């Protein structure tokens, strides 16, 4: 863990109206690494990553991307700066074809000139999507939609890709493939921030993980260390 | 009978143009634009002003009037609807659209009085006979223009980047924003396009029938009924709904009596709401856009 952080979050607070879902949250993501946020339902993981991606405005705290202060920047700016969130629930555009979905992903000024090249790249990575290029996003299976959501995210040419519960609702066999894919993307130089409920597999591939509870970090450490942590074992691994 | 059907379909084409903008605004933003009819009537009066003032043919006048409708609609969204939605609830936006329409109608009445007006270009009195059916040149021209306008909108939504952004925002605002779409600009654009089509339909309506400022309410309701009938937030759905409504209105006028037209409209609206309660505001509409 000697790489400089690409993302540093310090004292982050995010609220829905008067209800704070995240408060005084701090963590960092080293360039080129895989960092995981785990925690039970309602812990504030989705809120956190949406605030980082610019979809929600933080009430307090700092977010630094490659050294630049970006707290409060909107989604368009974060995408331009290289942060892409693949949202919880996939959110593919149901009435758009696979091709149109992917082109939406490549809209930002940095990636737009390379759409053709990026399309070829994601079709190579996901041959299934190439076969279904003209099919509507909403007509595909859950697993295919998840692949489409990730592919759409890749079209934006992210430096930091945030994945919010990508394994949710996938068959066990597909979950294995998904984790392989995440490692492969990381191997190609994309830094990964992974939100997951699938704690065992996540900790196995994460360089570092943070455990969230009620909007705060309650525990953090190397992924392999947390696998042996008594609290983690009891709370998430069922023994 | 055949004559009535032809008239109904020709009229329906114009209704489709009035409704397609309403349907677009509702489909993308979930805002029921109660000021929609004001843009329709405004378009009709603008065509009248350009015709009496400059002798500008209404079909040519479509260009500046739709451009004007776009600018006013986009500004209206940006500075009135948007803040209302953000601050309060959709109900707040609904009330604001209602209030503004009252102001504009009163303004038009002061300038033009509440007298019935119409726009009559030179070709207003030509017609052709095919068998037993007479087709007025002006109706045929209005109908063809309506088809061209709706096809152009469909093409815009399907093939351009901005069209794709509008559709994406309608299907999932969050996902569109995460792709880098500026949702606020998309909303202003959508309202602009919707209003441009309302104003454009006003021009066509002004060509084929007389109008008054107070008819604004009727056009909003018709647009709503067309959307209910078409059941979809797409140009094709508005086209279908418009043709059906045009038929229903003209048949009622001819065989039941002109005073019953609005009664029949409301009965259609009620029946649709009973048969497919979530057909307009609910899932059927959302799923199809
Ligand atoms: N749209 C919302 N409005 C109000 N409260 C919300 C909303 N979304 C989430 N919350 C609340 O914020 C807290 C954190 O939620 P979330 O970030 O979704 O957690 P996680 O992703 O870890 O399951 C929860 O208490 C949840 O009820
Ligand atoms: Mg979540």
């Amino acid at each position: 863990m000697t790489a400089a952080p690409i993302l540093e979050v310090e004292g982050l607070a995010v609220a829905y109206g008067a209800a704070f879902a995240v408060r005084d949250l701090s963590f960092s993501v080293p360039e080129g690494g895989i960092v995981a946020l785990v925690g039970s339902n309602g812990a504030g993981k989705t809120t956190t990553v949406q605030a980082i991606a610019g979809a929600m405005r933080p009430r307090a705290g700092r977010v630094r991307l490659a050294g630049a202060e970006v707290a409060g920047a909107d989604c368009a700016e974060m995408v331009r700066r290289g942060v892409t969130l693949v949202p919880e629930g996939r959110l593919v555009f149901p009435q758009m074809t696979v091709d149109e979905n992917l082109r939406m992903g490549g809209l930002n000024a940095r990636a737009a000139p390379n759409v053709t090249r990026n399309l070829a790249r994601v079709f190579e990575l996901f041959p299934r999507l190439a076969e279904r290029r003209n099919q509507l996003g909403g007509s595909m299976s859950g697993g295919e939609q998840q692949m489409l959501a990730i592919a759409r995210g890749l079209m934006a040419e992210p430096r930091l890709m945030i994945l919010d519960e990508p394994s949710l609702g996938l068959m066990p066999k597909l979950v294995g493939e998904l984790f392989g894919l995440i490692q492969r993307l990381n191997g190609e130089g994309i830094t990964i921030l992974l939100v997951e409920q699938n704690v065992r597999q996540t900790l196995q591939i994460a360089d570092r993980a943070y455990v969230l509870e009620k909007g705060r970090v309650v525990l953090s450490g190397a992924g392999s260390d947390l696998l042996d942590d008594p609290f983690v074992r009891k709370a998430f691994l069922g023994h | 009978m055949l004559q009535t059907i032809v008239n109904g379909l020709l009229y329906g084409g114009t209704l489709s143009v009035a409704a397609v903008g309403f349907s677009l605004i509702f489909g993308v933003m979930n805002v029921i634009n109660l000021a929609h009819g004001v843009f329709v009537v405004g378009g009709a009066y603008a065509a009248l002003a350009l015709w009496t003032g400059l002798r500008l043919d209404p079909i040519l006048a479509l260009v500046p009037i739709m451009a004007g409708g776009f600018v006013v609609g986009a500004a209206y969204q940006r500075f009135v609807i948007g803040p209302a939605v953000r601050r309060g609830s959709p109900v707040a936006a609904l009330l604001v659209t209602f209030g503004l329409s009252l102001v504009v109608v009163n303004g038009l009445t002061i300038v033009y009085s509440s007298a019935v007006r119409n726009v009559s270009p030179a070709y207003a009195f030509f017609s052709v006979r095919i068998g037993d059916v007479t087709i007025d040149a002006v109706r045929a021209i209005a109908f063809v223009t309506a088809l061209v306008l709706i096809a152009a909108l469909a093409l815009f939504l399907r093939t351009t980047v901005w069209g794709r952004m509008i559709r994406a925002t309608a299907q999932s605002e969050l996902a569109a924003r995460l792709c880098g779409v500026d949702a606020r600009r998309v909303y202003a654009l959508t309202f602009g396009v919707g209003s441009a089509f309302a104003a454009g339909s006003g021009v066509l309506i002004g060509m084929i029938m007389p109008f008054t400022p107070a008819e604004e309410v009727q056009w909003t309701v018709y647009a709503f009924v067309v959307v209910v009938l078409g059941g979809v937030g797409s140009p094709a759905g508005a086209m279908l709904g418009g043709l059906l409504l045009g038929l229903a209105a003209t048949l009622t006028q001819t065989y039941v009596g002109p005073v019953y037209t609005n009664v029949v409209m409301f009965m259609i609206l009620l029946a649709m709401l009973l048969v497919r309660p979530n057909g307009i505001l609910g899932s059927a509409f959302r799923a199809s856009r």
Side-chain angles (χ1 to χ4, degrees), chain A residues 50 53-56 75-76 79 85 87 91 93-96 100 103-105 107-108 152, chain B residues 158 161 164-165 167-169 171-172 174-182 287-289:
Chain A
Q50 286 197 355
M56 289 190 72
C75 287
V79 171
L85 169 61
L91 304 187
F93 302 113
Q95 295 294 311
M96 286 185 154
E100 287 179 309
R103 282 174 194 277
M104 282 302 299
L107 213 60
N108 72 79
R152 184 178 65 187
Chain B
R158 209 134 283 284
V161 174
R164 211 183 292 140
M165 289 201 272
R167 285 162 56 221
T169 306
Q171 291 169 33
S172 171
L174 176 59
R177 286 170 61 212
L178 291 173
C179 289
V181 171
D182 182 343
S288 60
R289 71 196 176 187

mmCIF file of all heavy atoms in Angstrom, chain A residues 50 53-56 75-76 79 85 87 91 93-96 100 103-105 107-108 152, chain B residues 158 161 164-165 167-169 171-172 174-182 287-289:
data_model
loop_
_atom_site.group_PDB
_atom_site.id
_atom_site.type_symbol
_atom_site.label_atom_id
_atom_site.label_comp_id
_atom_site.label_asym_id
_atom_site.label_seq_id
_atom_site.Cartn_x
_atom_site.Cartn_y
_atom_site.Cartn_z
ATOM 1 N N GLN A 50 -22.631 7.615 -3.765
ATOM 2 C CA GLN A 50 -23.352 8.598 -4.578
ATOM 3 C C GLN A 50 -22.823 10.004 -4.322
ATOM 4 O O GLN A 50 -22.758 10.831 -5.241
ATOM 5 C CB GLN A 50 -24.856 8.519 -4.301
ATOM 6 C CG GLN A 50 -25.469 7.282 -4.937
ATOM 7 C CD GLN A 50 -26.985 7.361 -5.059
ATOM 8 O OE1 GLN A 50 -27.603 8.303 -4.583
ATOM 9 N NE2 GLN A 50 -27.559 6.365 -5.703
ATOM 10 N N ALA A 53 -19.595 10.299 -6.245
ATOM 11 C CA ALA A 53 -19.812 10.404 -7.689
ATOM 12 C C ALA A 53 -20.518 11.699 -8.086
ATOM 13 O O ALA A 53 -20.720 11.957 -9.260
ATOM 14 C CB ALA A 53 -20.615 9.206 -8.183
ATOM 15 N N GLY A 54 -20.919 12.510 -7.107
ATOM 16 C CA GLY A 54 -21.542 13.791 -7.418
ATOM 17 C C GLY A 54 -23.050 13.735 -7.556
ATOM 18 O O GLY A 54 -23.674 14.719 -7.924
ATOM 19 N N ALA A 55 -23.649 12.568 -7.248
ATOM 20 C CA ALA A 55 -25.099 12.457 -7.380
ATOM 21 C C ALA A 55 -25.813 13.043 -6.166
ATOM 22 O O ALA A 55 -26.997 13.351 -6.225
ATOM 23 C CB ALA A 55 -25.509 10.996 -7.568
ATOM 24 N N MET A 56 -25.093 13.151 -5.040
ATOM 25 C CA MET A 56 -25.652 13.815 -3.850
ATOM 26 C C MET A 56 -24.627 14.814 -3.361
ATOM 27 O O MET A 56 -23.428 14.604 -3.495
ATOM 28 C CB MET A 56 -25.914 12.792 -2.732
ATOM 29 C CG MET A 56 -27.072 11.868 -3.001
ATOM 30 S SD MET A 56 -27.466 10.924 -1.524
ATOM 31 C CE MET A 56 -28.203 12.182 -0.487
ATOM 32 N N CYS A 75 -22.180 15.267 -11.043
ATOM 33 C CA CYS A 75 -21.832 14.015 -11.718
ATOM 34 C C CYS A 75 -21.030 14.267 -12.987
ATOM 35 O O CYS A 75 -20.040 13.585 -13.249
ATOM 36 C CB CYS A 75 -23.094 13.261 -12.131
ATOM 37 S SG CYS A 75 -23.956 12.524 -10.782
ATOM 38 N N ALA A 76 -21.488 15.255 -13.776
ATOM 39 C CA ALA A 76 -20.837 15.482 -15.063
ATOM 40 C C ALA A 76 -19.359 15.771 -14.858
ATOM 41 O O ALA A 76 -18.506 15.247 -15.580
ATOM 42 C CB ALA A 76 -21.528 16.638 -15.792
ATOM 43 N N VAL A 79 -17.480 12.557 -13.721
ATOM 44 C CA VAL A 79 -17.273 11.639 -14.842
ATOM 45 C C VAL A 79 -16.109 12.146 -15.702
ATOM 46 O O VAL A 79 -15.233 11.388 -16.105
ATOM 47 C CB VAL A 79 -18.557 11.511 -15.694
ATOM 48 C CG1 VAL A 79 -18.289 10.735 -16.969
ATOM 49 C CG2 VAL A 79 -19.651 10.826 -14.893
ATOM 50 N N LEU A 85 -19.546 5.758 -11.451
ATOM 51 C CA LEU A 85 -20.284 4.886 -10.526
ATOM 52 C C LEU A 85 -21.205 3.972 -11.325
ATOM 53 O O LEU A 85 -22.013 4.441 -12.124
ATOM 54 C CB LEU A 85 -21.113 5.746 -9.561
ATOM 55 C CG LEU A 85 -22.155 5.015 -8.698
ATOM 56 C CD1 LEU A 85 -21.501 3.986 -7.778
ATOM 57 C CD2 LEU A 85 -22.965 6.006 -7.869
ATOM 58 N N PRO A 87 -24.236 2.041 -10.699
ATOM 59 C CA PRO A 87 -25.117 2.174 -9.542
ATOM 60 C C PRO A 87 -25.742 0.866 -9.070
ATOM 61 O O PRO A 87 -25.841 -0.104 -9.824
ATOM 62 C CB PRO A 87 -26.202 3.136 -10.045
ATOM 63 C CG PRO A 87 -26.256 2.895 -11.512
ATOM 64 C CD PRO A 87 -24.849 2.572 -11.931
ATOM 65 N N LEU A 91 -29.625 -0.072 -13.117
ATOM 66 C CA LEU A 91 -30.179 1.098 -13.797
ATOM 67 C C LEU A 91 -29.775 1.207 -15.258
ATOM 68 O O LEU A 91 -29.371 2.274 -15.715
ATOM 69 C CB LEU A 91 -29.806 2.397 -13.060
ATOM 70 C CG LEU A 91 -30.185 2.514 -11.586
ATOM 71 C CD1 LEU A 91 -29.903 3.922 -11.084
ATOM 72 C CD2 LEU A 91 -31.647 2.174 -11.359
ATOM 73 N N PHE A 93 -30.794 1.584 -19.146
ATOM 74 C CA PHE A 93 -31.937 2.264 -19.750
ATOM 75 C C PHE A 93 -32.778 1.195 -20.441
ATOM 76 O O PHE A 93 -32.372 0.656 -21.465
ATOM 77 C CB PHE A 93 -31.467 3.330 -20.738
ATOM 78 C CG PHE A 93 -30.575 4.356 -20.105
ATOM 79 C CD1 PHE A 93 -29.239 4.453 -20.450
ATOM 80 C CD2 PHE A 93 -31.075 5.212 -19.131
ATOM 81 C CE1 PHE A 93 -28.413 5.399 -19.858
ATOM 82 C CE2 PHE A 93 -30.254 6.160 -18.523
ATOM 83 C CZ PHE A 93 -28.925 6.243 -18.891
ATOM 84 N N PRO A 94 -33.966 0.873 -19.870
ATOM 85 C CA PRO A 94 -34.693 -0.311 -20.329
ATOM 86 C C PRO A 94 -35.198 -0.214 -21.765
ATOM 87 O O PRO A 94 -35.243 -1.223 -22.460
ATOM 88 C CB PRO A 94 -35.857 -0.427 -19.340
ATOM 89 C CG PRO A 94 -36.003 0.929 -18.739
ATOM 90 C CD PRO A 94 -34.643 1.546 -18.752
ATOM 91 N N GLN A 95 -35.575 1.011 -22.180
ATOM 92 C CA GLN A 95 -36.145 1.169 -23.522
ATOM 93 C C GLN A 95 -35.106 1.612 -24.544
ATOM 94 O O GLN A 95 -35.443 2.143 -25.590
ATOM 95 C CB GLN A 95 -37.296 2.186 -23.477
ATOM 96 C CG GLN A 95 -38.484 1.730 -22.655
ATOM 97 C CD GLN A 95 -39.171 0.543 -23.270
ATOM 98 O OE1 GLN A 95 -39.470 0.536 -24.456
ATOM 99 N NE2 GLN A 95 -39.395 -0.490 -22.472
ATOM 100 N N MET A 96 -33.843 1.384 -24.222
ATOM 101 C CA MET A 96 -32.794 1.692 -25.180
ATOM 102 C C MET A 96 -32.052 0.413 -25.511
ATOM 103 O O MET A 96 -31.944 -0.483 -24.671
ATOM 104 C CB MET A 96 -31.809 2.692 -24.585
ATOM 105 C CG MET A 96 -32.347 4.082 -24.500
ATOM 106 S SD MET A 96 -31.041 5.165 -23.925
ATOM 107 C CE MET A 96 -31.584 6.672 -24.633
ATOM 108 N N GLU A 100 -27.232 1.727 -27.657
ATOM 109 C CA GLU A 100 -27.546 3.082 -27.171
ATOM 110 C C GLU A 100 -27.128 3.258 -25.709
ATOM 111 O O GLU A 100 -26.622 4.310 -25.323
ATOM 112 C CB GLU A 100 -29.048 3.358 -27.299
ATOM 113 C CG GLU A 100 -29.522 3.578 -28.719
ATOM 114 C CD GLU A 100 -31.028 3.836 -28.789
ATOM 115 O OE1 GLU A 100 -31.802 3.041 -28.203
ATOM 116 O OE2 GLU A 100 -31.419 4.819 -29.405
ATOM 117 N N ARG A 103 -23.470 3.870 -25.707
ATOM 118 C CA ARG A 103 -23.126 5.207 -26.203
ATOM 119 C C ARG A 103 -23.423 6.274 -25.157
ATOM 120 O O ARG A 103 -22.728 7.287 -25.076
ATOM 121 C CB ARG A 103 -23.886 5.516 -27.495
ATOM 122 C CG ARG A 103 -23.264 4.825 -28.693
ATOM 123 C CD ARG A 103 -24.080 4.990 -29.955
ATOM 124 N NE ARG A 103 -23.613 4.052 -30.949
ATOM 125 C CZ ARG A 103 -22.561 4.269 -31.737
ATOM 126 N NH1 ARG A 103 -21.904 5.409 -31.662
ATOM 127 N NH2 ARG A 103 -22.174 3.355 -32.589
ATOM 128 N N MET A 104 -24.486 6.058 -24.367
ATOM 129 C CA MET A 104 -24.760 6.991 -23.267
ATOM 130 C C MET A 104 -23.562 7.028 -22.312
ATOM 131 O O MET A 104 -23.191 8.081 -21.816
ATOM 132 C CB MET A 104 -26.008 6.567 -22.489
ATOM 133 C CG MET A 104 -27.328 6.907 -23.139
ATOM 134 S SD MET A 104 -27.559 8.659 -23.459
ATOM 135 C CE MET A 104 -27.476 9.329 -21.796
ATOM 136 N N GLY A 105 -22.980 5.863 -22.059
ATOM 137 C CA GLY A 105 -21.838 5.798 -21.143
ATOM 138 C C GLY A 105 -20.642 6.595 -21.642
ATOM 139 O O GLY A 105 -19.863 7.122 -20.852
ATOM 140 N N LEU A 107 -20.481 9.429 -23.184
ATOM 141 C CA LEU A 107 -20.924 10.783 -23.548
ATOM 142 C C LEU A 107 -19.935 11.876 -23.148
ATOM 143 O O LEU A 107 -19.872 12.923 -23.786
ATOM 144 C CB LEU A 107 -22.238 11.031 -22.812
ATOM 145 C CG LEU A 107 -23.287 11.888 -23.468
ATOM 146 C CD1 LEU A 107 -23.707 11.286 -24.783
ATOM 147 C CD2 LEU A 107 -24.497 11.975 -22.533
ATOM 148 N N ASN A 108 -19.167 11.650 -22.082
ATOM 149 C CA ASN A 108 -18.356 12.760 -21.556
ATOM 150 C C ASN A 108 -17.260 13.173 -22.538
ATOM 151 O O ASN A 108 -16.784 12.385 -23.357
ATOM 152 C CB ASN A 108 -17.780 12.392 -20.180
ATOM 153 C CG ASN A 108 -16.673 11.366 -20.281
ATOM 154 O OD1 ASN A 108 -15.534 11.680 -20.605
ATOM 155 N ND2 ASN A 108 -17.031 10.102 -20.021
ATOM 156 N N ARG A 152 -21.228 -0.074 -19.736
ATOM 157 C CA ARG A 152 -21.584 1.337 -19.911
ATOM 158 C C ARG A 152 -20.636 2.225 -19.103
ATOM 159 O O ARG A 152 -20.186 3.271 -19.559
ATOM 160 C CB ARG A 152 -23.038 1.559 -19.456
ATOM 161 C CG ARG A 152 -23.558 2.960 -19.669
ATOM 162 C CD ARG A 152 -25.007 3.071 -19.230
ATOM 163 N NE ARG A 152 -25.169 2.868 -17.794
ATOM 164 C CZ ARG A 152 -26.326 2.774 -17.172
ATOM 165 N NH1 ARG A 152 -27.452 2.859 -17.863
ATOM 166 N NH2 ARG A 152 -26.396 2.579 -15.875
ATOM 167 N N ARG B 158 -34.740 9.704 -31.641
ATOM 168 C CA ARG B 158 -34.113 8.422 -31.893
ATOM 169 C C ARG B 158 -32.652 8.523 -32.335
ATOM 170 O O ARG B 158 -31.832 7.701 -31.975
ATOM 171 C CB ARG B 158 -34.929 7.674 -32.959
ATOM 172 C CG ARG B 158 -34.849 6.187 -32.846
ATOM 173 C CD ARG B 158 -36.157 5.454 -32.961
ATOM 174 N NE ARG B 158 -36.991 5.504 -31.772
ATOM 175 C CZ ARG B 158 -36.787 4.799 -30.671
ATOM 176 N NH1 ARG B 158 -35.763 3.993 -30.579
ATOM 177 N NH2 ARG B 158 -37.618 4.877 -29.662
ATOM 178 N N VAL B 161 -27.866 12.921 -30.417
ATOM 179 C CA VAL B 161 -27.326 12.788 -29.063
ATOM 180 C C VAL B 161 -28.276 13.412 -28.044
ATOM 181 O O VAL B 161 -28.546 12.840 -26.993
ATOM 182 C CB VAL B 161 -25.936 13.468 -28.973
ATOM 183 C CG1 VAL B 161 -25.436 13.464 -27.540
ATOM 184 C CG2 VAL B 161 -24.947 12.760 -29.867
ATOM 185 N N ARG B 164 -31.240 11.265 -27.505
ATOM 186 C CA ARG B 164 -30.900 10.113 -26.676
ATOM 187 C C ARG B 164 -30.801 10.527 -25.205
ATOM 188 O O ARG B 164 -31.225 9.799 -24.309
ATOM 189 C CB ARG B 164 -29.575 9.534 -27.169
ATOM 190 C CG ARG B 164 -29.487 8.037 -26.971
ATOM 191 C CD ARG B 164 -28.145 7.500 -27.389
ATOM 192 N NE ARG B 164 -27.928 7.581 -28.828
ATOM 193 C CZ ARG B 164 -26.758 7.930 -29.381
ATOM 194 N NH1 ARG B 164 -25.727 8.235 -28.627
ATOM 195 N NH2 ARG B 164 -26.639 7.958 -30.685
ATOM 196 N N MET B 165 -30.272 11.718 -24.958
ATOM 197 C CA MET B 165 -30.172 12.175 -23.568
ATOM 198 C C MET B 165 -31.555 12.401 -22.961
ATOM 199 O O MET B 165 -31.779 12.110 -21.786
ATOM 200 C CB MET B 165 -29.342 13.462 -23.497
ATOM 201 C CG MET B 165 -27.881 13.236 -23.769
ATOM 202 S SD MET B 165 -26.854 14.560 -23.122
ATOM 203 C CE MET B 165 -26.843 15.676 -24.472
ATOM 204 N N ARG B 167 -34.344 10.798 -23.803
ATOM 205 C CA ARG B 167 -34.945 9.486 -23.518
ATOM 206 C C ARG B 167 -34.289 8.843 -22.307
ATOM 207 O O ARG B 167 -34.957 8.242 -21.455
ATOM 208 C CB ARG B 167 -34.820 8.579 -24.745
ATOM 209 C CG ARG B 167 -35.810 8.965 -25.851
ATOM 210 C CD ARG B 167 -35.388 8.377 -27.188
ATOM 211 N NE ARG B 167 -35.243 6.944 -27.129
ATOM 212 C CZ ARG B 167 -34.245 6.274 -27.724
ATOM 213 N NH1 ARG B 167 -33.337 6.904 -28.420
ATOM 214 N NH2 ARG B 167 -34.195 4.967 -27.624
ATOM 215 N N ALA B 168 -32.973 8.942 -22.220
ATOM 216 C CA ALA B 168 -32.264 8.330 -21.094
ATOM 217 C C ALA B 168 -32.714 8.960 -19.781
ATOM 218 O O ALA B 168 -32.974 8.254 -18.799
ATOM 219 C CB ALA B 168 -30.760 8.493 -21.275
ATOM 220 N N THR B 169 -32.838 10.279 -19.758
ATOM 221 C CA THR B 169 -33.247 10.962 -18.534
ATOM 222 C C THR B 169 -34.651 10.538 -18.128
ATOM 223 O O THR B 169 -34.951 10.380 -16.945
ATOM 224 C CB THR B 169 -33.172 12.491 -18.726
ATOM 225 O OG1 THR B 169 -31.864 12.824 -19.191
ATOM 226 C CG2 THR B 169 -33.443 13.217 -17.430
ATOM 227 N N GLN B 171 -35.966 7.631 -18.704
ATOM 228 C CA GLN B 171 -35.972 6.239 -18.247
ATOM 229 C C GLN B 171 -35.297 6.066 -16.896
ATOM 230 O O GLN B 171 -35.715 5.247 -16.087
ATOM 231 C CB GLN B 171 -35.297 5.349 -19.306
ATOM 232 C CG GLN B 171 -36.152 5.248 -20.554
ATOM 233 C CD GLN B 171 -35.412 4.597 -21.706
ATOM 234 O OE1 GLN B 171 -34.572 3.726 -21.507
ATOM 235 N NE2 GLN B 171 -35.726 5.008 -22.910
ATOM 236 N N SER B 172 -34.229 6.791 -16.646
ATOM 237 C CA SER B 172 -33.607 6.781 -15.326
ATOM 238 C C SER B 172 -32.770 8.031 -15.172
ATOM 239 O O SER B 172 -31.696 8.143 -15.750
ATOM 240 C CB SER B 172 -32.725 5.541 -15.135
ATOM 241 O OG SER B 172 -31.984 5.682 -13.936
ATOM 242 N N LEU B 174 -31.189 9.169 -12.585
ATOM 243 C CA LEU B 174 -29.915 8.963 -11.894
ATOM 244 C C LEU B 174 -28.875 8.376 -12.841
ATOM 245 O O LEU B 174 -27.746 8.847 -12.920
ATOM 246 C CB LEU B 174 -30.108 8.054 -10.671
ATOM 247 C CG LEU B 174 -28.823 7.691 -9.928
ATOM 248 C CD1 LEU B 174 -28.083 8.935 -9.429
ATOM 249 C CD2 LEU B 174 -29.116 6.748 -8.757
ATOM 250 N N ALA B 175 -29.269 7.348 -13.586
ATOM 251 C CA ALA B 175 -28.317 6.719 -14.507
ATOM 252 C C ALA B 175 -27.846 7.719 -15.555
ATOM 253 O O ALA B 175 -26.665 7.742 -15.913
ATOM 254 C CB ALA B 175 -28.944 5.499 -15.175
ATOM 255 N N ALA B 176 -28.752 8.553 -16.034
ATOM 256 C CA ALA B 176 -28.360 9.537 -17.045
ATOM 257 C C ALA B 176 -27.351 10.516 -16.456
ATOM 258 O O ALA B 176 -26.334 10.836 -17.073
ATOM 259 C CB ALA B 176 -29.590 10.288 -17.563
ATOM 260 N N ARG B 177 -27.607 10.975 -15.223
ATOM 261 C CA ARG B 177 -26.664 11.896 -14.592
ATOM 262 C C ARG B 177 -25.316 11.226 -14.395
ATOM 263 O O ARG B 177 -24.265 11.839 -14.582
ATOM 264 C CB ARG B 177 -27.219 12.371 -13.247
ATOM 265 C CG ARG B 177 -28.358 13.381 -13.410
ATOM 266 C CD ARG B 177 -29.044 13.650 -12.089
ATOM 267 N NE ARG B 177 -28.135 14.212 -11.104
ATOM 268 C CZ ARG B 177 -28.221 13.993 -9.800
ATOM 269 N NH1 ARG B 177 -29.182 13.230 -9.316
ATOM 270 N NH2 ARG B 177 -27.365 14.543 -8.975
ATOM 271 N N LEU B 178 -25.339 9.956 -14.020
ATOM 272 C CA LEU B 178 -24.073 9.252 -13.807
ATOM 273 C C LEU B 178 -23.295 9.079 -15.117
ATOM 274 O O LEU B 178 -22.099 8.840 -15.103
ATOM 275 C CB LEU B 178 -24.318 7.884 -13.152
ATOM 276 C CG LEU B 178 -24.795 7.937 -11.700
ATOM 277 C CD1 LEU B 178 -25.174 6.554 -11.201
ATOM 278 C CD2 LEU B 178 -23.726 8.556 -10.794
ATOM 279 N N CYS B 179 -23.994 9.183 -16.243
ATOM 280 C CA CYS B 179 -23.310 9.155 -17.544
ATOM 281 C C CYS B 179 -22.775 10.541 -17.897
ATOM 282 O O CYS B 179 -22.180 10.721 -18.962
ATOM 283 C CB CYS B 179 -24.256 8.690 -18.648
ATOM 284 S SG CYS B 179 -24.673 6.952 -18.549
ATOM 285 N N GLY B 180 -23.034 11.533 -17.040
ATOM 286 C CA GLY B 180 -22.535 12.873 -17.307
ATOM 287 C C GLY B 180 -23.561 13.798 -17.932
ATOM 288 O O GLY B 180 -23.225 14.903 -18.347
ATOM 289 N N VAL B 181 -24.825 13.354 -18.000
ATOM 290 C CA VAL B 181 -25.878 14.201 -18.566
ATOM 291 C C VAL B 181 -26.239 15.291 -17.554
ATOM 292 O O VAL B 181 -26.412 15.005 -16.371
ATOM 293 C CB VAL B 181 -27.140 13.373 -18.885
ATOM 294 C CG1 VAL B 181 -28.302 14.282 -19.271
ATOM 295 C CG2 VAL B 181 -26.844 12.386 -19.992
ATOM 296 N N ASP B 182 -26.338 16.524 -18.024
ATOM 297 C CA ASP B 182 -26.781 17.620 -17.177
ATOM 298 C C ASP B 182 -28.309 17.625 -17.203
ATOM 299 O O ASP B 182 -28.931 18.141 -18.119
ATOM 300 C CB ASP B 182 -26.215 18.938 -17.724
ATOM 301 C CG ASP B 182 -26.588 20.133 -16.856
ATOM 302 O OD1 ASP B 182 -27.519 20.005 -16.040
ATOM 303 O OD2 ASP B 182 -25.952 21.182 -17.012
ATOM 304 N N ALA B 287 -43.592 2.414 -18.519
ATOM 305 C CA ALA B 287 -42.907 1.281 -19.137
ATOM 306 C C ALA B 287 -42.693 1.508 -20.624
ATOM 307 O O ALA B 287 -41.786 0.943 -21.212
ATOM 308 C CB ALA B 287 -43.715 0.010 -18.916
ATOM 309 N N SER B 288 -43.536 2.331 -21.209
ATOM 310 C CA SER B 288 -43.501 2.408 -22.655
ATOM 311 C C SER B 288 -42.631 3.531 -23.194
ATOM 312 O O SER B 288 -42.481 3.677 -24.373
ATOM 313 C CB SER B 288 -44.927 2.599 -23.168
ATOM 314 O OG SER B 288 -45.450 3.789 -22.629
ATOM 315 N N ARG B 289 -42.074 4.351 -22.309
ATOM 316 C CA ARG B 289 -41.395 5.518 -22.874
ATOM 317 C C ARG B 289 -39.929 5.282 -23.203
ATOM 318 O O ARG B 289 -39.356 4.301 -22.853
ATOM 319 C CB ARG B 289 -41.526 6.714 -21.954
ATOM 320 C CG ARG B 289 -40.723 6.616 -20.674
ATOM 321 C CD ARG B 289 -41.228 7.632 -19.689
ATOM 322 N NE ARG B 289 -40.516 7.476 -18.442
ATOM 323 C CZ ARG B 289 -40.838 8.138 -17.358
ATOM 324 N NH1 ARG B 289 -41.847 8.946 -17.355
ATOM 325 N NH2 ARG B 289 -40.163 7.958 -16.252
#
